[in-house]
């Protein structure tokens, strides 16, 4: 999966970049390997405030485009890594649900075809 990372109001360190790589690579197991090259993931990481009373707030957003479908999750936390984890988990849940729905639709269609074939050939025997 190809991805693009944008940052707002802070610089992307190698440690943060490696952590993002690891969390994005975790999403690959929910994606069809044949479609992997056509999938684009947009990641936006930024600081939303520098206010001295509330501290820094980090906002993370993942947007994944897969074959006409868009999966999106956002999180705003005081810890950057917690924000990345939350967003990654949300997108993982969305991708799992999509994969399960697609598989169940396929199985339902296959069982319908099987029952039609049984009806056609089962009554002749």
């Amino acid at each position: 999966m190809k991805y693009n990372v944008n940052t707002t109001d802070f610089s992307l360190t190698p440690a943060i970049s490696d952590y993002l790589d690891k969390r994005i690579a975790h999403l690959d197991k929910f994606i069809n390997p044949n479609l992997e090259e056509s999938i684009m993931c947009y990641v936006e990481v930024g600081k939303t405030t520098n206010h001295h009373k509330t501290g820094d707030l980090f906002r993370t957003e993942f947007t994944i485009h897969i074959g006409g479908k868009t999966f999106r999750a956002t999180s705003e936390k005081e810890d950057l890594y917690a924000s990345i984890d939350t967003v990654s988990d949300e997108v993982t849940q969305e991708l799992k649900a999509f994969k399960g729905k697609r598989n169940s639709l396929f199985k339902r269609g296959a069982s319908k075809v099987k029952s039609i074939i049984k009806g056609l050939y089962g009554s002749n025997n």
Side-chain angles (χ1 to χ4, degrees), residues 2 17 26 41 44-45 51 66 71 79 81 87 108 119 121:
K2 296 182 262 182
S17 179
H26 172 71
C41 177
E44 187 173 333
V45 181
H51 196 270
I66 301 175
F71 301 95
D79 181 28
Y81 293 102
V87 168
R108 197 177 331 153
Y121 295 111

Side-chain angles (χ1 to χ4, degrees), residues 17-87:
S17 179
D18 289 342
Y19 193 73
L20 279 171
D21 289 344
K22 185 178 91 171
R23 295 305 286 184
I24 292 171
H26 172 71
L27 300 174
D28 282 340
K29 66 181 174 182
F30 303 108
I31 296 170
N32 186 351
N34 298 334
L35 300 174
E36 197 168 312
E37 290 301 316
S38 65
I39 298 171
M40 190 65 188
C41 177
Y42 297 98
V43 179
E44 187 173 333
V45 181
K47 222 190 273 191
T48 59
T49 181
N50 289 322
H51 196 270
H52 66 280
K53 289 184 181 177
T54 59
D56 294 337
L57 283 177
F58 294 97
R59 180 175 186 273
T60 306
E61 179 180 323
F62 279 19
T63 305
I64 300 176
H65 300 288
I66 301 175
K69 285 267 194 197
T70 300
F71 301 95
R72 186 167 182 259
T74 349
S75 175
E76 203 167 288
K77 302 263 184 191
E78 290 182 8
D79 181 28
L80 175 64
Y81 293 102
S83 178
I84 293 171
D85 286 341
T86 302
V87 168

Side-chain angles (χ1 to χ4, degrees), residues 9 11 31 35 56 82 92 98 109 113 117 124:
D9 293 336
S11 61
I31 296 170
L35 300 174
D56 294 337
T92 299
F98 176 67
V113 169
I117 291 174
N124 293 339

